[in-house]
Amino acid sequence: MSALRATSPLPPPATPQPNRLTLGGLALGGDLQAVLWLAALPMLAASVLPWVMLRPNRLAPGHYLHLPAPTVMLGLLLALALPLAGRFWPRAVAVIAALALALGTVWLGQATTSAVADSGAVARASASSGWWLWLLGSGVALYGAGLIAGQLRQAQWLRWLWLALLLLVLAGGELGYWPGLRHWSVVQEFSVHQGRVAQELGQHIRLVLSGLGLAVLISAPLAVWASRSNQVSSVVMSVAGGIQTIPSLALLGLLIAPLAALSSHFPALREAGISGIGTAPALCAMTLYALLPIVRNGLVALRGVPSGVMDAARGMGMTDNQRFWRVQLPLALPVWLSGVRQAAVMLVGVASVAQLIGAGGLGYFIFSGMQSGAADLILLGVIPAAALAIVLDMLLRALETLTGRPLGLLGRGR
Amino acid sequence: MIELQHLEKRYTNPQTGSEFYAVKDLTLTFPSGEITALLGPSGCGKTTTLRMINRLIEPTGGSVLIDGQTIYSQRPEELRRRIGYVIQQIGLFPHLTVAQNIATVPDLLGQPKAQTKVRVLELLDMVGLEPERFANKRPQELSGGQQQRVGVARALAADPPVLLMDEPFGALDPLARDMVQDAFLDIQRRLKKTIVLVTHDIDEALRMGDHIALMQSGELAQFGTPDDLVRRPTSDFVRQFLGEDAALRQLAGVKVKALMQPSDAQRSAGLPHVPADLNARSALSIMLREGTEALAVVGEDGQVLGVITWRALERDSV
C-alpha cells in the first residue's frame, strides 16, 4: 500500500517502469501484482486437486473426487485471469474475484450433489483440499481487489460485488435453480444440529460478552490506578502478564478446585450457580485472560496523553476529576478500545475451550467432532466462532473510529 | 501586582538527603498592567517560580500575593481559573474545537453559554483569526502560529487580570514568532494585563518585557527595565548573559517609525531610503554601510515620513 501511495502523481509517459503499470496517470505497484499471484497460485492448484471426499456414511473412510474436466479448465483460466487483469485492466480484478467465489460455491454444490446422488442416503460428501484452496485464493483475490479499489477511488461498488454475487448464488440454490449446498456435509450436519448450533452460539456470545464486560469493569479502574503510579503499574502488569502465560486449558483446570471449595463452604454461592465446573470457572478464566490487553492498552493510552495537554488542563483550573473525564479519558479512549477489541477476539477463542469444563459454547461441536473424528462437526463450531470474532472485531473497530474521529491524526496513528 | 516574598522551593533527594534549591529567597514585584520577562538560562528556576504563582508547584517557604491578597486562602483550582496560563507546547485540547478550547475556563466558572459564545468570537477576532473560519476547526488543522493565537485567546477567555506565559512562543519558527509577538503586544497595549513571561530568549525578553527579571541558580540576578540590564548590568553574570551585542539586540526589537522625527523634503534630500517597519538594528547597519548618520523613512507609497538619525538610535536606549 505504502509503495503505491509513494509513487509520483505524474509518471513519465511512454516509459513505464518495470513491475509497474501506468493507468490513466495512476501507477499500480509490483506488490499488488504479487498479491494477485498469491491468489492465482492456490487457485491453480485447487483446480487440479480433489474437491470432494465421498464417504459411504458419516464416519467411514472415503475416496476423493475431482471436478469435471471443463470445470477444471475454467478454474485454471479464472486463476490466470487474475494477474493478467491486474496487469492490463485492474478494475476487472474485483469482478474475477467475485466470480471465483460464486463459481467455486456453485462447483462445490454441484460436485457434492452428484457425488451423493450416486451413493446411498447416508453418504457424506465433504469439501476437500481443492475447495479450501480455492476459497483461500478467492479470499486473497478479494483482498487485492480491495487494495485496487482503494487506489482507484472510483467504482467503489465493485468492493461489494462479491457479496451480492454470493448471496445471489445462495438464493438461487434455495429457490431450486441449482442444487445448492444442501448436500455438502457441513450443511447436512448443520440441518441435523440446527437448534443446537443456535443454542451454543448464543452461549458462546454470552460467555464472551460477560467475560469481556467483567474484564472491562475490573481493568478500567486498575488501568487508571496504574497509570498514576509506577509501582502499581509494574505490579499490575506483571500479574496480568503472568496470567497470560498460563495455558487456557490449565487455567480452567486450576480454577476447578478453589471454586468447588468455595461453593461447598458457602451454600449461597452454590445456589447462585457457582461451582467448580460450568459457567463460573469459564467466566473467571476469560475475565483473567482479558485483563492484560485491556489494562495494558489502558495504561499506554492514559499515559500517552501529551503532558502539555494535561498541564494546560491543570493550569486552567480543572480539578483532578474534571481533568480525567474531560481531557484524559476522551483522548485515551480510542487506543484503550483497541485493547478491548483485542481481548474480545481472544475471548472468542478461549470460550471454545470452555466446553471442556461444561460451560458449553461452540466448543461443544469442536470437541465432539474431534472425539468422533467428524471434521464436519468441527467446522460447525469453527465457522460460527470465526464469524463471531470477525463481527466483534468490526463492531469494536467502528466504535474506535467513532471515538477517534474528533482526534483527527491522533486517533488514526496506530 | 504580583508580589513574591522570600519565595523558596527546596527539593530533597530522598536517597542522599542532600538539598537543592530550585528557587531561593526570591523577593520580587511584578508591576500591574505590564509585561515582566522572567529570563534566565535553563535550570535557573524561572519556570518553577512561574508555577508557584498559580500553585502548580507549592513553595517550601515564602509566599505570593496578588493585589495584596495571599493566594493560599482559596482552592488552587479557583485561583487558577482567575489566572490566564499559556505554555510552550500550547496544550490545546485536540478533541475539542477551537471554540470549545477557548470556552474552557468560562465553562469551568459556570458562565452562561450564550455569553461565552459571544466572548469566544470576540476573542478569535482579537487574536487575528476570522471567527467564522476558525471557531469550529480542530487544533491540529491549524498552523503553529494559529494554534498559539488560540492558546492566548483561551488564556484570556475569562478576562483574568493576570497572565502567566511559559515560553509561549518558543515552539514557533522565527517568522511566525515575530508575527505572534507583534499581535500579542498589540493586544496587551489595549488590555493592560499583568503578565509574567518566562523565556530563555534574550531577544524576546528585550522586545516584549517592560521589565526583566534575570535569574541565576534560583536567585534574582537583576530586576529592571531592558535599558537597565543592557546599560547598567549589576554583575558580570548579567553582562555575560546578555552578551556584548545586547544593545544591538535591543535595537532589533524596535521599528524605525517609532524613533523617527518628522522632517521636511529639504532635510531628507539625498538620504538613503528605508521602509517604516524596518527594525532599528538594520537601520543602524545601513548607516554604517552607507557612511551616513541619518536615513529617510518612507511609507509603502514611497512618501517620505520622516528621518531617523544616529542620535535617535542612541537616545532610544537611554
Side-chain angles (χ1 to χ4, degrees):
Chain A
M1 283 289 281
S2 56
L4 291 180
R5 292 236 171 86
T7 51
S8 138
L10 288 172
T15 52
Q17 294 160 24
N19 265 348
R20 271 175 203 289
L21 171 75
T22 52
L23 177 98
L26 183 120
L28 295 176
D31 48 355
L32 189 73
Q33 206 57 27
V35 168
L36 295 180
W37 274 111
L38 278 178
L41 290 177
M43 284 165 71
L44 286 173
S47 304
V48 295
L49 283 169
W51 272 53
V52 169
M53 183 200 243
L54 180 68
R55 283 171 298 197
N57 65 55
R58 196 175 151 206
L59 302 175
H63 62 279
Y64 292 109
L65 299 173
H66 286 76
L67 290 176
T71 312
V72 170
M73 289 306 297
L74 191 56
L76 292 174
L77 283 177
L78 216 50
L80 285 174
L82 273 175
L84 280 176
R87 190 90 183 79
F88 298 109
W89 194 25
R91 207 169 300 174
V93 170
V95 181
I96 297 170
L99 267 180
L101 188 65
L103 279 178
T105 310
V106 172
W107 294 340
L108 179 70
Q110 285 171 338
T112 48
T113 304
S114 66
V116 172
D118 302 337
S119 321
V122 291
R124 288 295 169 104
S126 47
S128 180
S129 53
W131 154 251
W132 295 116
L133 271 177
W134 186 268
L135 193 63
L136 172 70
S138 315
V140 175
L142 284 173
Y143 171 70
L147 292 184
I148 292 173
Q151 287 304 300
L152 287 177
R153 294 175 196 290
Q154 44 183 313
Q156 292 296 311
W157 58 273
L158 280 175
R159 275 174 191 249
W160 301 103
L161 182 65
W162 65 272
L163 193 61
L165 268 183
L166 189 64
L167 289 175
L168 206 66
V169 162
L170 293 178
E174 286 301 311
L175 297 173
Y177 291 106
W178 65 287
L181 291 175
R182 67 178 64 90
H183 297 291
W184 180 24
S185 54
V186 175
V187 175
Q188 282 191 318
E189 287 289 354
F190 176 71
S191 55
V192 173
H193 297 286
Q194 215 160 0
R196 191 76 197 252
V197 170
Q199 180 195 331
E200 298 299 353
L201 178 62
Q203 170 70 358
H204 209 90
I205 294 174
R206 266 195 300 281
L207 278 175
V208 169
L209 292 187
S210 0
L212 194 65
L214 279 173
V216 169
L217 283 182
I218 297 171
S219 305
L222 270 182
V224 173
W225 189 28
S227 73
R228 290 175 186 179
S229 149
N230 280 329
Q231 278 141 348
V232 175
S233 74
S234 65
V235 171
V236 168
M237 287 309 290
S238 41
V239 169
I243 295 170
Q244 206 78 14
T245 61
I246 308 173
S248 49
L249 212 53
L251 187 59
L252 289 173
L254 285 174
L255 283 169
I256 292 178
L259 281 172
L262 269 179
S263 83
S264 65
H265 278 89
F266 302 99
L269 288 178
R270 189 164 55 234
E271 276 154 37
I274 290 175
S275 63
I277 58 166
T279 309
L283 264 186
C284 283
M286 290 171 66
T287 305
L288 287 173
Y289 272 119
L291 287 183
L292 180 68
I294 302 179
V295 171
R296 184 187 52 209
N297 273 55
L299 192 62
V300 169
L302 290 169
R303 286 195 171 165
V305 174
S307 62
V309 172
M310 296 295 281
D311 186 47
R314 203 162 151 243
M316 294 174 71
M318 289 194 189
T319 61
D320 287 349
N321 272 334
Q322 287 170 332
R323 192 162 59 129
F324 175 75
W325 291 106
R326 295 188 185 196
V327 177
Q328 198 178 17
L329 189 62
L331 288 175
L333 209 52
V335 178
W336 201 343
L337 278 176
S338 85
V340 176
R341 178 168 56 84
Q342 288 165 28
V345 172
M346 188 183 70
L347 286 191
V348 173
V350 177
S352 308
V353 187
Q355 157 68 15
L356 285 181
I357 51 164
L362 292 165
Y364 165 79
F365 297 105
I366 297 172
F367 288 109
S368 42
M370 276 163 67
Q371 277 156 15
S372 57
D376 302 321
L377 208 53
I378 298 179
L379 281 175
L380 219 49
V382 169
I383 294 171
L388 180 60
I390 291 170
V391 168
L392 273 176
D393 186 74
M394 271 167 59
L395 286 178
L396 285 165
R397 238 178 238 279
L399 198 60
E400 271 169 57
T401 316
L402 210 65
T403 56
R405 187 169 299 148
L407 312 186
L409 296 172
L410 249 177
R412 256 180 276 142
R414 265 172 289 118
Chain B
M1 186 167 66
I2 307 169
E3 292 164 86
L4 312 184
Q5 296 178 336
H6 306 287
L7 200 61
E8 174 198 283
K9 181 64 188 179
R10 185 181 63 235
Y11 291 101
T12 308
N13 185 325
Q15 263 109 50
T16 61
S18 66
E19 292 185 336
F20 160 75
Y21 287 89
V23 175
K24 191 174 182 181
D25 194 24
L26 184 65
T27 299
L28 181 61
T29 299
F30 300 99
S32 290
E34 298 193 345
I35 300 179
T36 304
L38 210 47
L39 178 68
S42 55
C44 72
K46 54 191 191 295
T47 294
T48 307
T49 304
L50 184 88
R51 291 167 75 88
M52 284 193 281
I53 297 174
N54 65 358
R55 295 182 67 186
L56 287 172
I57 295 177
E58 297 287 3
T60 50
S63 62
V64 177
L65 306 177
I66 295 182
D67 293 333
Q69 307 276 318
T70 172
I71 61 169
Y72 306 106
S73 59
Q74 51 186 330
R75 279 170 47 219
E77 289 83 21
E78 302 285 339
L79 171 76
R80 290 178 199 139
R81 287 170 197 175
R82 313 231 166 252
I83 297 179
Y85 185 51
V86 186
I87 58 172
Q88 175 174 17
Q89 306 98 318
I90 302 170
L92 294 181
F93 304 133
H95 59 303
L96 302 179
T97 63
V98 165
Q100 288 168 328
N101 263 287
I102 297 175
T104 305
V105 178
D107 283 352
L108 288 173
L109 289 169
Q111 292 175 1
K113 296 271 176 204
Q115 183 191 324
T116 304
K117 208 172 158 186
V118 175
R119 174 83 181 139
V120 165
L121 300 180
E122 203 178 277
L123 282 161
L124 275 173
D125 194 51
M126 187 171 76
V127 296
L129 299 173
E130 295 160 54
E132 310 80 38
R133 230 182 98 201
F134 288 96
N136 294 318
K137 289 203 172 190
R138 304 269 170 197
Q140 59 271 25
E141 296 173 70
L142 272 50
S143 72
Q146 290 167 342
Q147 288 184 13
Q148 197 51 272
R149 284 164 191 254
V150 175
V152 170
R154 184 173 69 170
L156 291 170
D159 202 18
V162 172
L163 213 55
L164 304 181
M165 308 178 86
D166 191 354
E167 308 253 2
F169 312 116
L172 301 178
D173 63 86
L175 204 66
R177 182 161 56 224
D178 275 1
M179 283 176 58
V180 179
Q181 283 175 343
D182 273 350
F184 183 73
L185 283 175
D186 251 11
I187 294 169
Q188 166 63 1
R189 245 168 248 133
R190 274 178 283 155
L191 299 184
K192 298 271 177 237
K193 302 287 183 191
T194 305
I195 296 175
V196 182
L197 172 84
V198 163
T199 182
H200 65 263
D201 179 348
I202 299 159
D203 297 313
E204 185 168 273
L206 289 172
R207 181 174 178 197
M208 309 277 293
D210 298 310
H211 298 270
I212 297 176
L214 178 58
M215 288 182 71
Q216 178 195 15
S217 322
E219 291 176 276
L220 187 66
Q222 186 172 357
F223 178 83
T225 63
D227 261 2
D228 289 338
L229 270 82
V230 170
R231 308 226 161 174
R232 293 172 287 279
T234 53
S235 67
D236 285 346
F237 168 77
V238 177
R239 188 177 296 115
Q240 278 166 15
F241 186 79
L242 292 179
E244 293 299 347
D245 57 352
L248 285 177
R249 294 172 151 211
Q250 199 185 358
L251 281 180
V254 186
K255 301 223 185 307
V256 290
K257 65 182 167 198
L259 301 176
M260 70 184 182
Q261 297 144 351
S263 117
D264 48 54
Q266 198 191 344
R267 197 177 160 209
S268 62
L271 294 178
H273 287 188
V274 293
D277 57 357
L278 190 76
N279 72 58
R281 177 187 180 153
S282 303
L284 178 63
S285 170
I286 292 171
M287 285 179 193
L288 292 173
R289 189 183 72 204
E290 302 290 330
T292 171
E293 289 191 6
L295 300 168
V297 179
V298 297
E300 278 176 22
D301 53 358
Q303 185 76 30
V304 174
L305 301 173
V307 166
I308 176 118
T309 62
W310 175 273
R311 301 285 303 168
L313 293 183
E314 207 178 21
R315 221 175 272 131
D316 161 57
S317 328
V318 174

